[in-house]
Amino acid sequence: MKNIRVALAGAGNCAWSFAQFVALAQAAPDTRLPGLMCHTLGGYRLADVRIVAAFDVDEAKVGLPLAEAFTAPVISATGFTDLGADRDAPVLPAPVLDGLVGPLASVVRPAAAARDATPEHVAKALVEHEVDVLVIALPTGASRAIRMFAQAALTAGTAVVNCTPEELARDASVSRRFAEAGVVLLGDDLRSHLGATCLHTALIELLLSRGLELQSTYQLNVGGNTDFLNLADAGRSASKFTSKANALRAAGMSDVDGVAGPSGFIGHLADTKLCFANVTAKSVLGSQVSIDIKLTVEDSPNAAGVIANAVRAAKTATDRGLSGAVDAPSPLLFKSPPHGLPESEARAAFLDFAS
């Protein structure tokens, strides 16, 4: 089986955790790592992934090898292990566009090379590095930058994994262009391995399976990494609220008073994320059931486990001659795929695809 050559659009916290997960797998290819749902997916192990390039705009990252870029001041995710085979992958400049709008401008200074970079440079680099899958992990709300990377990948014939809430797979015109070009597109908005949305939707599905009637629900999330700093700007977080609402509706929630989304930036939490969720429902004889949950996770490793599945799913779909938005693996991997499913159905569809 060949390697899967991956490029990262955004060398941030999630990319750092994913790169470490890949490094662990490369060091022990036959070991079943905790949190990895499928040791092989479409015949590919995580150890078969090679990160061959990354794109960023931060002057503390651009022009450096990957391992050094992940020591930049804005990186708050824990370093669990050193990078191995991919440590010297280059971090290339990308056009800034709207990537640093809002609070991020106060902590990231764009590299001179990023000011001069063009979409054509990105597409050319994808071809030169023979990239199979581009993982887009840019700041939420950076619509122009995200769509620029999608177009560059389309031009290069590179499959895309859209970790952001920006609608690409759900956008019928974008999905159609990928389908016509014979290129795979997976998205939208990465669904953390065991995060707030995963837990929340599983709980809703459980209550509905017992015949209860949902009355209200909420999901409030706070954290201290640059993702939460960016989401503190209401103009940047709007698509995240929409994406989470799509996930709850796919779980079976309808006509219910509900709110779910980022609720605050607390710097000293760093990469720790706290979720506070409540579901209230009507049960037998009109009696009420109310469930309160607090979830504490490190945010970026939680994303890495899903990216590990998504890049292999994208390559597998390409190998099978699929193109455009691919339905089968997407409801388990993303909050807002074109066609959502309840958690149990999504898992069954994913495992069937993976086999």
Side-chain angles (χ1 to χ4, degrees), residues 159-291:
V160 167
V161 170
N162 179 30
C163 300
T164 81
E166 178 71 18
E167 291 192 351
L168 296 180
R170 282 180 72 94
D171 185 324
S173 64
V174 174
S175 178
R176 183 169 56 252
R177 291 203 302 273
F178 271 76
E180 291 171 350
V183 180
V184 168
L185 169 62
L186 297 185
D188 301 312
D189 198 9
L190 202 70
R191 185 184 183 105
S192 292
H193 190 65
L194 209 163
T197 298
C198 174
L199 187 61
H200 198 174
T201 55
L203 182 57
I204 288 173
E205 184 180 6
L206 173 63
L207 293 177
L208 292 175
S209 75
R210 310 303 290 182
L212 275 67
E213 179 183 320
L214 295 180
Q215 294 180 307
S216 65
T217 189
Y218 63 76
Q219 179 201 126
L220 310 176
N221 302 295
V222 298
N225 58 24
T226 49
D227 185 35
F228 277 94
L229 176 63
N230 177 58
L231 293 171
D233 183 333
R236 301 285 270 187
S237 63
S239 60
K240 178 65 76 172
F241 280 94
T242 299
S243 177
K244 282 183 174 284
N246 289 339
L248 296 184
R249 281 193 291 270
M253 187 189 85
S254 61
D255 300 322
V256 172
D257 183 17
V259 175
S263 306
F265 170 73
I266 302 174
H268 71 260
L269 288 177
D271 199 40
T272 296
K273 173 180 175 179
L274 303 180
C275 165
F276 303 90
N278 169 272
V279 178
T280 300
K282 186 184 293 184
S283 188
V284 178
L285 297 175
S287 61
Q288 193 176 75
V289 174
S290 183
I291 301 174

Side-chain angles (χ1 to χ4, degrees), residues 10-13 55-62 69 71-76 91-115 137-139 142 224-230 236 265:
N13 286 303
F55 299 90
D56 211 287
V57 301
D58 190 342
E59 69 173 4
K61 302 174 187 175
V62 172
T71 66
V74 294
I75 299 293
S76 57
V91 178
L92 306 172
V96 178
L97 300 176
D98 54 352
L100 299 180
V101 171
L104 289 179
S106 67
V107 296
V108 176
R109 183 173 177 177
R115 296 191 186 97
L138 297 186
N225 58 24
T226 49
D227 185 35
F228 277 94
L229 176 63
N230 177 58
R236 301 285 270 187
F265 170 73

